[in-house]
Amino acid sequence: MKAFRLIAVTAVMILASSVVRADGLDGRVNVNGGGPGSPPCGSMQFFADANGDFTVDCTTTVNTPTITFASLDSQTNGGLSCLSQLTSIGWKETTGSANGVDTCTFTAPSKSTDEFFSFSSSFSDTEGSDGDCDLDDFTFGIAKGCDVKLTTSLAFVPGAVGDLSVNGAGLLPFPEPASLGLLATGLATLFLGRRRSKNFRPEI
C-alpha cells in the first residue's frame, strides 16, 4: 500500500511540474548582442533557474547573422514570445511551433550589392565591427568576438530546458517529459521492490 502511495505521489508531482500556469503570461526571452568573454557559440542547451529565468551568453567565432532560441511549449507558460533590440536595426523575427517545441529566430539583413550603398557604408560603423560590441556593430550579424546574450523578461517553468543555436546549427534534442516521468516511476518501483524483498523473511 505504501508503494502505491509513493508511486501515486511521484506521478502527481511529475504531472504538476509539467502543467502550464494559467496566469496568461507567456515565457519571454530577450535575445541581444553584447561584449565578449563567454564560451563559444554553436548549439547549446541549458536550464532555467528555480524562478524560471534564463541567463545565457556565448561568444561568436564568426559573424553571426542568425540566432535561434527554442523551448518546449509545455514549459513556456502558454507559448513562447521573444524580444530583441536587433529588430530596431533591421533584423527579422520569425516564430514557429512543431512537435511540442516553440522557436524564435532572428535574422540579420543581407549586405546590399548596391555600389552606392557599399561606398557610403565604408564611412560608417555598420559595415564592420569597431570592437566595442554595441548595437551598430550588429547590422549584418553579431560581429566576430562579440556575445549573443539571452535573458528572460517573463518567466518559464522552473527548470525549463532551452536551446540556443547560431548560423543554422541544429538544435539539440530535448528530453521528453513523459519518458523522464516513466523512468522516475520505474526507478521508484524498483527501489521499493528491492527494499521490500530485503525485509521479507520466509517462514519455515
Side-chain angles (χ1 to χ4, degrees), residues 5-163:
R5 285 184 187 164
L6 183 61
I7 291 171
V9 168
T10 303
V12 168
M13 287 174 54
I14 290 168
L15 288 174
S17 69
S18 65
V19 169
V20 174
R21 290 187 305 203
D23 59 7
L25 298 175
D26 303 344
R28 177 180 294 154
V29 293
N30 303 312
V31 179
N32 291 297
S38 304
C41 293
S43 292
M44 55 193 302
Q45 196 166 77
F46 40 85
F47 298 90
D49 63 18
N51 297 320
D53 294 326
F54 291 112
T55 304
V56 178
D57 55 3
C58 62
T59 300
T60 59
T61 56
V62 295
N63 185 58
T64 302
T66 307
I67 305 166
T68 299
F69 172 79
S71 184
L72 293 171
D73 182 69
S74 62
Q75 298 178 338
T76 62
N77 292 324
L80 176 65
S81 63
C82 297
L83 188 65
S84 180
Q85 293 177 332
L86 298 172
T87 57
S88 70
I89 56 171
W91 286 57
K92 300 286 186 234
E93 177 189 358
T94 54
T95 58
S97 185
N99 302 319
V101 176
D102 294 346
T103 60
C104 61
T105 300
F106 291 94
T107 307
S110 301
K111 291 184 181 181
S112 175
T113 56
D114 182 8
E115 288 181 26
F116 176 75
F117 178 80
S118 296
F119 174 75
S120 63
S121 67
S122 65
F123 295 104
S124 75
D125 189 26
T126 58
E127 179 67 13
S129 173
D130 60 4
D132 60 357
C133 294
D134 59 2
L135 197 59
D136 64 355
D137 294 316
F138 306 146
T139 303
F140 300 113
I142 304 298
K144 178 182 177 181
C146 297
D147 275 12
V148 173
K149 295 185 175 285
L150 186 133
T151 56
T152 311
S153 54
L154 295 173
F156 289 69
V157 171
V161 183
D163 264 18

